[in-house]
Amino acid sequence: MFTTRPTLQGTFGMASTTHWLASQSAMAVLEEGGNAYDAAVAAGFVLHVVEPHLNGPAGEVPILLAPAGGPVEVLCGQGPAPAGASVAHYTALGLDLVPGTGPLAAAVPGAFDAWMLLLRDHGTKSLAEVLRYAIGYAEHGHPAVGGIGRTVETVRELFATEWTSSAELYLPGGRPVAPGRLLKNPPLAATWRRLIAEAQAAATGREAQIDAARRVWREGFIGEALADFAARPAMDTSGERHAGALTGDDLAAFSATYEAPVTYDWHGWTVAKAGGWSQGPAFLQQLALLPPELPVHGSPEYVHLLIEGGKLAMADREAWYGDAGDGGAAAVPLGALLGADYNAARRALIGEHASYELRPGRPDGRTPRLSKHATAVASGADGPFATGVSGGGAGEPTVGSAVLQQAAPEVDRNGATRGDTCHIDVVDRWGNLVSATPSGGWLQSNPVVPALGFPLGTRLQMAWLEEGLPNTLTPGRRPRTTLSPSLALRDGVPVMAFGTPGGDQQDQWQLHFFLAVALRARVRGGLDLQGAIDAPNWHHDSFPGSFFPRRMRPGSVTVESRIGTPVIDELRRRDHLVTVGDAWSEGRLCAVARDPETGVLASAANPRGMQGYAVGR
């Protein structure tokens, strides 16, 4: 089939990320003898620099890794709610939802520590060796992609009048950087240089220096600056200035953690995802909801089936997913949610026409409980819970229009800026695989900490301000995240790492990609990664969004125009509310693979957005 690019093949190493500079930095590490984990860490820190509107050092990152000959693991870089981030604290401020921007939305940053653990436990390179690429781009500049300037333009007045530390960095001369012009971040480069110097002064040896860097982040000059800035009131999407709940004690207490993945077996494949604190199991539920025989790939019947199955899985996400803490009665019932009998009963709910309902199930006979907000938006209630589109065509989360209205009254009252996410996949010649989805800490999420060159994140906006829910805002527990990297095994052997940005849409687009890989023809003896990425994609918004203002659009489906008139017409006949998007507008997938029989490696990247690239040899 025709593809925009070839699926790359080789035997040395492959990397695919959402920005060409990160991909090539990962490849440079492989060329210097590093392994997949060294390469992924280097790429992750480069993405902080070159895609600052999509991720940052104080954001979060779940990582799936498959060491050659070892078990698949999840490395959780999702920080919890601070000790002072209780429902009572936020509702006492008159809030119904956690704001979409500002210090109140900041969880304990998790990305940095997760990258450090990956490097210490599985890498071979020193901290200085993997950070030198990010330092170089921050210090000497990188040609800015168009999304940076477009994002800054949407918050120009906010930066100029409220978040002035952000204006100093991202409004040079009072204007957003133009595409292709060099953008520098000297404070970030200085932060990493000081971090390396202090770590080297504190310890000898690779692992010890990495642990020393972790302590500097938590309790040294970085932790002190983050805690100080979190305590300063800043304008947020509520239209008010609030200080955050994050403290130095919260930073000092955090460590990224390893855990076992959740898996599901399907037709000889095993897909591994992060647990119920992420939306990852929704991918597995969508597989479990598929009938034994599927309609023809890409047909109207096929698309309808996947849309309706996705609605059921996302309704279960809304009712059951969250950080279960110590387990017990609050534990996410993943065994039941992925069970054959449960999903057979759920599958029977899929009819010939589109459902407009939010229909969570009853795993193990338990009664689902939805938040008041979710119930209201599902019914189309007016007021603050009004139904609306939860995301743009690419599925990016809304960062918030209220703050724009407050800071810039001339901005359209429906104006909003959006944050998104990045992705990294790497495979090396030894057979190590890694998939990571960094996000949060966007330049538009919080004011830049001037001494550090980056802002705090906003992941707490995913938790509810209502007691007794799986995803209730709870001190010490992780807000349920949309971030959802993937690893796939064939006959028990890891063969493919993949993922995408896109907020709530990640596990819709990834399912479509995976099925295209699993069901369609191979190329040159290997998996057709590029063909599966290039295939027309779609998403629905028939569930409450995870990002402020947490709206939904029952019955909606957004499709790429390339999907074709016959499919569009048939979906509309089945009562789907179809929005036809641009031809290349859905998803930003990356993927790498390894054939365990031949050792041949493969890689592909998404042409949408014009910046994702795969490299390798």
Side-chain angles (χ1 to χ4, degrees):
M1 64 172 291
F2 171 79
T3 60
T4 58
R5 313 166 181 178
T7 295
L8 304 184
Q9 289 183 312
T11 57
F12 181 81
M14 295 280 168
S16 178
T17 83
T18 48
H19 194 290
W20 62 87
L21 292 179
S23 298
Q24 192 54 54
S25 297
M27 195 65 203
V29 173
L30 294 177
E31 295 284 4
E32 292 178 349
N35 65 19
Y37 308 113
D38 299 312
V41 175
F45 280 89
V46 168
L47 287 175
H48 296 160
V49 180
V50 301
E51 292 190 327
H53 57 310
L54 306 180
N55 77 140
E60 44 277 327
V61 58
I63 303 170
L64 269 71
L65 57 149
V72 175
E73 293 184 287
V74 176
L75 178 49
C76 175
Q78 173 57 66
S86 65
V87 170
H89 174 64
Y90 285 64
T91 55
L93 298 172
L95 298 171
D96 296 313
L97 295 174
V98 177
T101 60
L104 271 180
V108 179
F112 179 85
D113 201 61
W115 287 126
M116 291 299 99
L117 281 188
L118 184 64
L119 181 65
R120 186 196 70 182
D121 298 341
H122 298 278
T124 65
K125 296 291 186 179
S126 70
L127 180 63
E129 287 174 312
V130 296
L131 280 180
R132 70 186 184 94
Y133 306 93
I135 291 171
Y137 288 125
E139 195 165 60
H140 303 296
H142 58 93
V145 295
I148 297 175
R150 289 193 299 270
T151 299
V152 173
E153 181 61 39
T154 63
V155 287
R156 183 209 288 250
E157 292 300 319
L158 170 66
F159 280 16
T161 60
E162 296 282 347
W163 296 6
T164 54
S165 60
S166 299
E168 292 173 7
L169 191 59
Y170 290 110
L171 284 172
R175 307 178 72 175
V177 64
R181 299 297 296 271
L182 287 181
L183 177 62
K184 301 179 182 181
N185 190 335
L188 180 58
T191 294
W192 296 147
R193 289 193 181 280
R194 180 177 173 185
L195 175 80
I196 292 168
E198 292 193 9
Q200 291 175 339
T204 57
R206 194 185 74 88
E207 292 85 357
Q209 287 181 359
I210 293 170
D211 279 335
R214 296 171 67 206
R215 290 191 294 273
V216 172
W217 175 276
R218 295 169 177 164
E219 304 171 49
F221 78 95
I222 295 177
E224 290 172 356
L226 290 172
D228 174 72
F229 225 68
R232 301 183 186 185
M235 182 68 69
D236 59 39
T237 52
S238 71
E240 302 290 338
R241 298 178 184 88
H242 293 114
L246 182 69
T247 68
D249 289 342
D250 297 312
L251 289 160
F254 176 74
S255 175
T257 55
Y258 291 99
E259 59 188 57
V262 180
T263 62
Y264 186 79
D265 296 332
W266 187 82
H267 291 233
W269 292 84
T270 300
V271 181
K273 303 289 284 187
W277 52 270
S278 76
Q279 72 169 349
F283 180 110
L284 308 182
Q285 280 194 259
Q286 289 176 90
L287 285 178
L289 284 161
L290 294 175
E293 297 293 330
L294 293 179
V296 174
H297 185 275
S299 66
E301 295 77 16
Y302 176 87
V303 177
H304 171 77
L305 175 68
L306 266 60
I307 292 168
E308 293 304 298
K311 292 175 184 178
L312 296 173
M314 296 303 275
D316 276 343
R317 184 197 76 163
E318 192 58 45
W320 299 110
Y321 291 18
D323 186 356
D326 295 328
V332 182
L334 288 176
L337 288 168
L338 298 176
D341 291 344
Y342 176 78
N343 284 286
R346 296 283 278 160
R347 189 183 308 125
L349 297 175
I350 298 175
E352 290 296 310
H353 293 270
S355 170
Y356 283 50
E357 299 178 78
L358 188 65
R359 299 182 290 179
R362 298 172 59 90
D364 290 332
R366 294 165 58 173
T367 301
R369 181 181 169 192
L370 298 171
S371 69
K372 294 176 182 177
H373 180 101
T375 301
V377 297
S379 66
D382 293 330
F385 298 158
T387 302
V389 180
S390 68
E396 301 97 339
T398 297
V399 173
S401 58
V403 68
L404 293 173
Q405 297 161 19
Q406 178 75 12
E410 71 275 16
V411 173
D412 185 279
R413 293 193 62 82
N414 292 321
T417 186
R418 302 185 186 279
D420 199 2
T421 302
C422 307
H423 189 77
I424 301 165
D425 295 312
V426 187
V427 60
D428 62 30
R429 63 189 182 275
W430 300 287
N432 299 302
L433 277 162
V434 60
S435 180
T437 308
S439 187
W442 309 309
L443 66 86
Q444 67 276 23
S445 64
N446 256 300
V448 166
V449 181
L452 302 178
F454 59 85
L456 288 163
T458 56
R459 192 60 55 173
L460 291 187
Q461 67 181 290
M462 296 188 168
W464 294 115
L465 298 181
E466 182 179 342
E467 297 288 1
L469 301 170
N471 193 30
T472 293
L473 179 66
T474 305
R477 294 196 179 179
R478 295 164 289 189
R480 186 193 71 211
T481 182
T482 56
L483 306 177
S484 190
S486 302
L487 276 172
L489 300 82
R490 186 71 177 168
D491 299 322
V493 179
V495 297
M496 184 167 64
F498 59 100
T500 180
D504 292 305
Q505 278 67 57
Q506 288 178 35
D507 283 308
Q508 296 183 56
W509 292 330
Q510 289 186 74
L511 176 75
H512 309 159
F513 162 81
F514 172 76
L515 292 176
V517 168
L519 299 173
R520 300 177 74 181
R522 295 157 66 86
V523 293
R524 296 190 301 279
L527 301 174
D528 186 12
L529 303 182
Q530 194 64 52
I533 287 174
D534 286 354
N537 219 321
W538 67 91
H539 81 270
H540 69 87
D541 296 304
S542 292
F543 52 89
S546 295
F547 296 88
F548 184 93
R550 313 205 66 170
R551 295 172 177 166
M552 68 177 284
R553 190 182 173 203
S556 74
V557 179
T558 301
V559 302
E560 291 182 330
S561 59
R562 295 182 298 123
I563 205 167
T565 300
V567 174
I568 293 169
D569 288 348
E570 177 60 16
L571 290 176
R572 285 174 170 158
R573 190 191 70 79
R574 292 173 181 251
D575 298 326
H576 295 278
L577 300 176
V578 180
T579 297
V580 180
D582 292 339
W584 298 91
S585 56
E586 291 284 312
R588 290 174 63 204
L589 281 146
C590 300
V592 300
R594 179 180 184 270
D595 186 327
E597 294 183 2
T598 65
V600 171
L601 312 178
S603 184
N606 183 45
R608 303 164 179 87
M610 300 295 286
Q611 64 194 65
Y613 265 84
V615 297
R617 67 174 180 87

